[in-house]
Amino acid sequence: MNPTQDLKQKLQKVPRIKLARLPTPLEEMPHLTQHLKGPRIWIKRDDLTGIAFGGNKERKTEYVMADALSKNADVVITTGSVQFSNHARTTAAAARKLGLNVVLVLHGEEPENYDGNLLLDYLYGADIRFIDERKQEISDKDPMEQIAEELTSKGHVPYIIPMGASYTIGAVAYANAMLELNTQAQEHKLKIDHIIHAAGSGGTQAGFILANKVLETGTTIHGISAEPDCQWLKTKTIQIANDTAKYLNIKTTITPTDVTLNEKYSGKEYAELTPEATEAIKLVARTEGILLDPVYTGKAMAGLIDMTRHGQFNKDQNVVFIHTGGTLAVFQYGQQLTKTKKYS
Ligand SMILES: *Cc1c(COP(=O)(O)O)cnc(C)c1O
């Protein structure tokens, strides 16, 4: 059996609930390509998956929710940051669609006004628990575990989803996305030389890398970290990829050399809008009419632009940018986006 068929069969055995609109489009970015005078640039629109403004978390949700339901869960618990957790928002919407309750453990202070993801979490009726580390006494116990115990004692069946759904079940979704992209590439008679995507908690890259190695595509996958000091993320990505290989019964081992994770474009901290991301957001909006976000995809695109300008890709190569979503965050950066003059 060829590697594509084999991987397809293995992925088909994993329980899944249809939630996302798939396959997402693979489109050319002709004006951006012309502007940058580098490789041919394509975009895979995973921001158009559908539910609750879409994004990469929705792909993961299909497998995560199937796993939760197979364990008879009536409530899911997950975690993320107060303002920028696209994962929390997507999980809340998916849970509601499937008739489940949802508890969100959000790290940070409760703001006076709810906005962006948090506003949607609220509208979806999530039970939101704010954890403000500065006020909290240090506890060994994961707050999600504590809440799960509390719910179990009340007769509920909780299911904990790790941050960003970055664990085996979530990574399966991106192994499947790689298969989907590979099929589209064949339809377009396209050899993909590089894939560039934003990385946060590792599940997306883990799935991509695993399937990419199994399919022997020869594509280099560049994860662009949303935060600095991402050695932990590299370790975690390798771990998830190998756990996922085991889970899928794939005899492939992912080693550090398989993981290209770049932290050069994150700025000093998570969710800090960099001048380069601002430039990237404006450039893509103005050349292609496509919206990126300040926290993840804007930084990943800043990476693509910078690597192109530094001649890291050849003109005859194809680069696919994965649009992982998160776009509603732009409204929280209105002031900064209009004030930064680097590309005005
Ligand atoms: C979560 C997220 C990512 C990162 O995906 P991981 O699987 O957590 O690495 C990238 N882009 C957006 C918009 C996200 O919400």
Side-chain angles (χ1 to χ4, degrees), residues 74-80 101-107 126-132 136 139-161:
D74 62 353
V75 50
V76 293
I77 306 170
T78 198
T79 190
N101 284 322
V102 54
V103 182
L104 300 176
V105 177
L106 301 182
H107 291 267
D127 172 356
I128 303 171
R129 317 277 180 102
F130 293 94
I131 306 267
D132 191 347
Q136 218 77 26
S139 156
D140 288 342
K141 203 151 199 182
D142 179 347
M144 290 200 288
E145 298 281 354
Q146 285 178 30
I147 292 165
E149 275 176 28
E150 168 199 316
L151 290 167
T152 306
S153 73
K154 289 181 185 158
H156 290 287
V157 183
Y159 179 95
I160 294 177
I161 307 167

Short mmCIF file of all heavy atoms in Angstrom, two decimals, residues 74-80 101-107 126-132 136 139-161:
data_model
loop_
_atom_site.label_atom_id
_atom_site.label_comp_id
_atom_site.label_asym_id
_atom_site.label_seq_id
_atom_site.Cartn_x
_atom_site.Cartn_y
_atom_site.Cartn_z
N ASP A 74 -20.48 14.94 29.68
CA ASP A 74 -21.57 15.90 29.50
C ASP A 74 -21.06 17.34 29.67
O ASP A 74 -21.80 18.29 29.49
CB ASP A 74 -22.74 15.61 30.45
CG ASP A 74 -22.35 15.73 31.92
OD1 ASP A 74 -21.15 15.90 32.21
OD2 ASP A 74 -23.25 15.63 32.78
N VAL A 75 -19.77 17.45 30.02
CA VAL A 75 -19.18 18.79 30.14
C VAL A 75 -17.69 18.71 29.77
O VAL A 75 -17.01 17.76 30.14
CB VAL A 75 -19.39 19.37 31.58
CG1 VAL A 75 -18.98 18.39 32.66
CG2 VAL A 75 -18.66 20.69 31.77
N VAL A 76 -17.23 19.69 29.01
CA VAL A 76 -15.80 19.76 28.69
C VAL A 76 -15.18 20.93 29.44
O VAL A 76 -15.83 21.96 29.66
CB VAL A 76 -15.52 19.88 27.17
CG1 VAL A 76 -15.92 18.62 26.43
CG2 VAL A 76 -16.21 21.10 26.57
N ILE A 77 -13.93 20.73 29.83
CA ILE A 77 -13.20 21.77 30.56
C ILE A 77 -11.94 22.06 29.77
O ILE A 77 -11.22 21.13 29.38
CB ILE A 77 -12.78 21.28 31.96
CG1 ILE A 77 -13.99 20.75 32.74
CG2 ILE A 77 -12.07 22.39 32.73
CD1 ILE A 77 -13.61 20.02 34.03
N THR A 78 -11.67 23.33 29.52
CA THR A 78 -10.39 23.63 28.88
C THR A 78 -9.85 24.97 29.37
O THR A 78 -10.47 25.62 30.22
CB THR A 78 -10.45 23.53 27.34
OG1 THR A 78 -9.10 23.41 26.86
CG2 THR A 78 -11.11 24.74 26.70
N THR A 79 -8.70 25.35 28.84
CA THR A 79 -7.99 26.51 29.39
C THR A 79 -7.31 27.33 28.30
O THR A 79 -7.11 26.85 27.19
CB THR A 79 -6.96 26.03 30.45
OG1 THR A 79 -6.44 27.16 31.14
CG2 THR A 79 -5.81 25.26 29.80
N GLY A 80 -6.97 28.57 28.64
CA GLY A 80 -6.29 29.45 27.70
C GLY A 80 -6.16 30.84 28.31
O GLY A 80 -6.44 31.03 29.50
N ASN A 101 -22.07 21.02 28.15
CA ASN A 101 -21.68 22.20 28.92
C ASN A 101 -20.19 22.43 28.77
O ASN A 101 -19.44 21.52 28.39
CB ASN A 101 -22.03 22.01 30.39
CG ASN A 101 -23.53 22.20 30.62
OD1 ASN A 101 -24.15 23.06 30.00
ND2 ASN A 101 -24.09 21.37 31.48
N VAL A 102 -19.77 23.64 29.10
CA VAL A 102 -18.35 23.97 28.93
C VAL A 102 -17.87 24.89 30.05
O VAL A 102 -18.54 25.85 30.40
CB VAL A 102 -18.09 24.58 27.52
CG1 VAL A 102 -18.98 25.79 27.25
CG2 VAL A 102 -16.63 24.96 27.31
N VAL A 103 -16.73 24.51 30.63
CA VAL A 103 -16.07 25.34 31.64
C VAL A 103 -14.75 25.83 31.05
O VAL A 103 -13.98 25.02 30.52
CB VAL A 103 -15.78 24.55 32.95
CG1 VAL A 103 -15.15 25.47 33.99
CG2 VAL A 103 -17.04 23.89 33.49
N LEU A 104 -14.50 27.14 31.13
CA LEU A 104 -13.25 27.70 30.62
C LEU A 104 -12.43 28.26 31.77
O LEU A 104 -12.90 29.14 32.49
CB LEU A 104 -13.53 28.79 29.59
CG LEU A 104 -14.32 28.37 28.35
CD1 LEU A 104 -14.61 29.58 27.47
CD2 LEU A 104 -13.58 27.29 27.55
N VAL A 105 -11.23 27.75 31.93
CA VAL A 105 -10.31 28.25 32.94
C VAL A 105 -9.39 29.23 32.23
O VAL A 105 -8.51 28.83 31.47
CB VAL A 105 -9.50 27.09 33.56
CG1 VAL A 105 -8.48 27.62 34.55
CG2 VAL A 105 -10.43 26.07 34.20
N LEU A 106 -9.64 30.52 32.43
CA LEU A 106 -8.90 31.53 31.67
C LEU A 106 -7.87 32.22 32.55
O LEU A 106 -8.20 32.71 33.63
CB LEU A 106 -9.86 32.54 31.05
CG LEU A 106 -10.92 31.95 30.10
CD1 LEU A 106 -11.79 33.07 29.51
CD2 LEU A 106 -10.29 31.12 28.98
N HIS A 107 -6.65 32.26 32.06
CA HIS A 107 -5.55 32.83 32.85
C HIS A 107 -5.42 34.32 32.59
O HIS A 107 -5.17 34.74 31.47
CB HIS A 107 -4.24 32.11 32.53
CG HIS A 107 -4.25 30.70 33.04
ND1 HIS A 107 -3.75 30.36 34.27
CD2 HIS A 107 -4.76 29.56 32.51
CE1 HIS A 107 -3.92 29.06 34.47
NE2 HIS A 107 -4.54 28.56 33.41
N ALA A 126 -20.46 29.92 28.32
CA ALA A 126 -19.45 29.11 29.03
C ALA A 126 -19.40 29.53 30.50
O ALA A 126 -19.62 30.69 30.83
CB ALA A 126 -18.09 29.32 28.38
N ASP A 127 -19.12 28.56 31.35
CA ASP A 127 -18.88 28.83 32.77
C ASP A 127 -17.42 29.27 32.86
O ASP A 127 -16.51 28.45 32.76
CB ASP A 127 -19.15 27.53 33.54
CG ASP A 127 -18.76 27.62 35.00
OD1 ASP A 127 -18.21 28.65 35.42
OD2 ASP A 127 -19.00 26.62 35.71
N ILE A 128 -17.19 30.57 32.98
CA ILE A 128 -15.83 31.12 32.89
C ILE A 128 -15.24 31.29 34.29
O ILE A 128 -15.83 31.93 35.14
CB ILE A 128 -15.82 32.47 32.15
CG1 ILE A 128 -16.43 32.32 30.75
CG2 ILE A 128 -14.40 33.03 32.05
CD1 ILE A 128 -16.67 33.65 30.02
N ARG A 129 -14.07 30.68 34.51
CA ARG A 129 -13.36 30.86 35.79
C ARG A 129 -12.05 31.59 35.51
O ARG A 129 -11.19 31.08 34.78
CB ARG A 129 -13.04 29.49 36.42
CG ARG A 129 -14.16 28.47 36.37
CD ARG A 129 -15.15 28.65 37.51
NE ARG A 129 -16.20 27.64 37.42
CZ ARG A 129 -16.25 26.54 38.18
NH1 ARG A 129 -15.28 26.30 39.05
NH2 ARG A 129 -17.24 25.69 38.04
N PHE A 130 -11.91 32.75 36.07
CA PHE A 130 -10.67 33.52 35.86
C PHE A 130 -9.63 33.11 36.89
O PHE A 130 -9.94 33.04 38.08
CB PHE A 130 -10.95 35.02 35.99
CG PHE A 130 -11.82 35.54 34.88
CD1 PHE A 130 -13.20 35.62 35.05
CD2 PHE A 130 -11.27 35.92 33.67
CE1 PHE A 130 -14.01 36.10 34.03
CE2 PHE A 130 -12.08 36.39 32.64
CZ PHE A 130 -13.45 36.48 32.82
N ILE A 131 -8.43 32.83 36.42
CA ILE A 131 -7.34 32.49 37.33
C ILE A 131 -6.30 33.60 37.21
O ILE A 131 -5.63 33.72 36.20
CB ILE A 131 -6.67 31.14 36.94
CG1 ILE A 131 -7.72 30.03 36.85
CG2 ILE A 131 -5.54 30.82 37.88
CD1 ILE A 131 -7.92 29.24 38.08
N ASP A 132 -6.21 34.39 38.24
CA ASP A 132 -5.23 35.46 38.23
C ASP A 132 -4.03 35.00 39.06
O ASP A 132 -4.09 34.98 40.29
CB ASP A 132 -5.86 36.73 38.81
CG ASP A 132 -4.97 37.95 38.60
OD1 ASP A 132 -3.79 37.77 38.23
OD2 ASP A 132 -5.47 39.08 38.80
N GLN A 136 -3.30 34.31 43.20
CA GLN A 136 -3.52 32.92 43.60
C GLN A 136 -2.40 32.42 44.49
O GLN A 136 -1.25 32.73 44.28
CB GLN A 136 -3.56 32.06 42.34
CG GLN A 136 -4.56 30.95 42.38
CD GLN A 136 -5.97 31.49 42.14
OE1 GLN A 136 -6.12 32.50 41.50
NE2 GLN A 136 -6.96 30.82 42.66
N SER A 139 -0.62 26.46 44.01
CA SER A 139 -1.20 25.15 44.30
C SER A 139 -0.61 24.14 43.32
O SER A 139 -0.36 24.45 42.16
CB SER A 139 -2.72 25.24 44.12
OG SER A 139 -3.25 23.97 43.85
N ASP A 140 -0.37 22.93 43.80
CA ASP A 140 0.19 21.90 42.95
C ASP A 140 -0.84 21.38 41.97
O ASP A 140 -0.51 20.84 40.93
CB ASP A 140 0.70 20.72 43.79
CG ASP A 140 1.97 21.11 44.53
OD1 ASP A 140 2.59 22.11 44.11
OD2 ASP A 140 2.31 20.45 45.52
N LYS A 141 -2.07 21.55 42.35
CA LYS A 141 -3.12 20.93 41.56
C LYS A 141 -3.55 21.81 40.40
O LYS A 141 -3.77 23.00 40.55
CB LYS A 141 -4.32 20.67 42.48
CG LYS A 141 -5.18 19.58 41.93
CD LYS A 141 -5.89 18.85 43.02
CE LYS A 141 -6.37 17.51 42.57
NZ LYS A 141 -7.09 16.86 43.65
N ASP A 142 -3.65 21.19 39.24
CA ASP A 142 -4.15 21.87 38.06
C ASP A 142 -5.60 22.30 38.32
O ASP A 142 -6.43 21.49 38.73
CB ASP A 142 -4.08 20.87 36.89
CG ASP A 142 -4.60 21.45 35.59
OD1 ASP A 142 -5.24 22.53 35.62
OD2 ASP A 142 -4.37 20.83 34.55
N PRO A 143 -5.91 23.60 38.10
CA PRO A 143 -7.29 24.05 38.35
C PRO A 143 -8.32 23.25 37.56
O PRO A 143 -9.45 23.07 38.03
CB PRO A 143 -7.28 25.51 37.89
CG PRO A 143 -5.89 25.88 37.57
CD PRO A 143 -5.03 24.67 37.64
N MET A 144 -7.96 22.76 36.37
CA MET A 144 -8.91 21.97 35.58
C MET A 144 -9.24 20.65 36.28
O MET A 144 -10.38 20.19 36.26
CB MET A 144 -8.36 21.71 34.17
CG MET A 144 -8.31 22.97 33.32
SD MET A 144 -8.24 22.62 31.55
CE MET A 144 -6.58 21.99 31.39
N GLU A 145 -8.22 20.07 36.93
CA GLU A 145 -8.44 18.82 37.69
C GLU A 145 -9.38 19.09 38.86
O GLU A 145 -10.27 18.29 39.15
CB GLU A 145 -7.10 18.28 38.23
CG GLU A 145 -6.08 17.89 37.17
CD GLU A 145 -6.35 16.54 36.53
OE1 GLU A 145 -7.28 15.83 36.99
OE2 GLU A 145 -5.64 16.19 35.56
N GLN A 146 -9.15 20.20 39.53
CA GLN A 146 -10.00 20.56 40.67
C GLN A 146 -11.45 20.71 40.25
O GLN A 146 -12.37 20.22 40.91
CB GLN A 146 -9.51 21.87 41.30
CG GLN A 146 -8.26 21.71 42.12
CD GLN A 146 -7.78 23.05 42.68
OE1 GLN A 146 -8.57 23.94 42.95
NE2 GLN A 146 -6.48 23.17 42.83
N ILE A 147 -11.65 21.39 39.13
CA ILE A 147 -13.01 21.61 38.63
C ILE A 147 -13.63 20.28 38.21
O ILE A 147 -14.82 20.02 38.46
CB ILE A 147 -13.01 22.64 37.48
CG1 ILE A 147 -12.63 24.01 38.03
CG2 ILE A 147 -14.36 22.69 36.77
CD1 ILE A 147 -12.24 25.04 36.99
N ALA A 148 -12.82 19.42 37.60
CA ALA A 148 -13.32 18.10 37.19
C ALA A 148 -13.80 17.31 38.40
O ALA A 148 -14.86 16.68 38.37
CB ALA A 148 -12.22 17.34 36.45
N GLU A 149 -13.04 17.38 39.50
CA GLU A 149 -13.45 16.68 40.73
C GLU A 149 -14.75 17.23 41.27
O GLU A 149 -15.66 16.48 41.65
CB GLU A 149 -12.35 16.82 41.80
CG GLU A 149 -11.27 15.76 41.66
CD GLU A 149 -10.13 15.96 42.65
OE1 GLU A 149 -10.37 16.53 43.75
OE2 GLU A 149 -9.01 15.55 42.32
N GLU A 150 -14.82 18.56 41.27
CA GLU A 150 -16.03 19.24 41.75
C GLU A 150 -17.26 18.78 40.92
O GLU A 150 -18.31 18.44 41.47
CB GLU A 150 -15.78 20.75 41.61
CG GLU A 150 -16.94 21.69 41.77
CD GLU A 150 -16.59 23.07 41.14
OE1 GLU A 150 -15.46 23.57 41.35
OE2 GLU A 150 -17.45 23.62 40.41
N LEU A 151 -17.08 18.70 39.60
CA LEU A 151 -18.20 18.31 38.72
C LEU A 151 -18.55 16.83 38.87
O LEU A 151 -19.72 16.46 38.85
CB LEU A 151 -17.86 18.63 37.26
CG LEU A 151 -17.81 20.12 36.92
CD1 LEU A 151 -17.16 20.34 35.56
CD2 LEU A 151 -19.20 20.74 36.94
N THR A 152 -17.53 16.02 39.03
CA THR A 152 -17.76 14.57 39.20
C THR A 152 -18.58 14.33 40.47
O THR A 152 -19.51 13.52 40.47
CB THR A 152 -16.41 13.81 39.28
OG1 THR A 152 -15.65 14.15 38.12
CG2 THR A 152 -16.63 12.31 39.30
N SER A 153 -18.23 15.06 41.53
CA SER A 153 -18.96 14.87 42.81
C SER A 153 -20.43 15.27 42.69
O SER A 153 -21.26 14.86 43.47
CB SER A 153 -18.27 15.65 43.93
OG SER A 153 -18.53 17.03 43.76
N LYS A 154 -20.73 16.08 41.67
CA LYS A 154 -22.12 16.48 41.44
C LYS A 154 -22.81 15.58 40.41
O LYS A 154 -23.89 15.89 39.91
CB LYS A 154 -22.18 17.93 40.96
CG LYS A 154 -21.83 18.93 42.05
CD LYS A 154 -21.93 20.34 41.49
CE LYS A 154 -21.46 21.36 42.51
NZ LYS A 154 -21.05 22.62 41.88
N GLY A 155 -22.14 14.50 40.03
CA GLY A 155 -22.75 13.54 39.12
C GLY A 155 -22.50 13.78 37.65
O GLY A 155 -23.08 13.13 36.78
N HIS A 156 -21.64 14.75 37.33
CA HIS A 156 -21.33 15.01 35.92
C HIS A 156 -20.17 14.14 35.44
O HIS A 156 -19.43 13.58 36.24
CB HIS A 156 -20.96 16.49 35.73
CG HIS A 156 -22.13 17.40 35.89
ND1 HIS A 156 -23.12 17.51 34.95
CD2 HIS A 156 -22.48 18.23 36.91
CE1 HIS A 156 -24.04 18.36 35.37
NE2 HIS A 156 -23.68 18.82 36.56
N VAL A 157 -20.03 14.08 34.11
CA VAL A 157 -18.88 13.38 33.53
C VAL A 157 -18.05 14.40 32.76
O VAL A 157 -18.36 14.75 31.62
CB VAL A 157 -19.32 12.23 32.59
CG1 VAL A 157 -18.11 11.47 32.06
CG2 VAL A 157 -20.29 11.29 33.29
N PRO A 158 -17.01 14.94 33.41
CA PRO A 158 -16.21 15.98 32.74
C PRO A 158 -15.12 15.38 31.84
O PRO A 158 -14.67 14.26 32.06
CB PRO A 158 -15.56 16.72 33.91
CG PRO A 158 -15.51 15.72 35.01
CD PRO A 158 -16.60 14.71 34.80
N TYR A 159 -14.73 16.13 30.84
CA TYR A 159 -13.63 15.75 29.95
C TYR A 159 -12.70 16.95 29.85
O TYR A 159 -13.12 18.04 29.48
CB TYR A 159 -14.18 15.38 28.57
CG TYR A 159 -13.13 14.98 27.56
CD1 TYR A 159 -12.81 13.64 27.35
CD2 TYR A 159 -12.47 15.95 26.78
CE1 TYR A 159 -11.84 13.27 26.40
CE2 TYR A 159 -11.50 15.58 25.84
CZ TYR A 159 -11.20 14.24 25.66
OH TYR A 159 -10.25 13.88 24.73
N ILE A 160 -11.45 16.74 30.22
CA ILE A 160 -10.47 17.83 30.20
C ILE A 160 -9.75 17.87 28.86
O ILE A 160 -9.22 16.87 28.40
CB ILE A 160 -9.44 17.68 31.34
CG1 ILE A 160 -10.13 17.84 32.70
CG2 ILE A 160 -8.30 18.67 31.19
CD1 ILE A 160 -9.23 17.63 33.90
N ILE A 161 -9.77 19.03 28.23
CA ILE A 161 -9.03 19.23 26.97
C ILE A 161 -7.80 20.07 27.30
O ILE A 161 -7.93 21.21 27.76
CB ILE A 161 -9.89 19.99 25.93
CG1 ILE A 161 -11.25 19.30 25.74
CG2 ILE A 161 -9.14 20.10 24.60
CD1 ILE A 161 -12.26 20.15 24.97
#
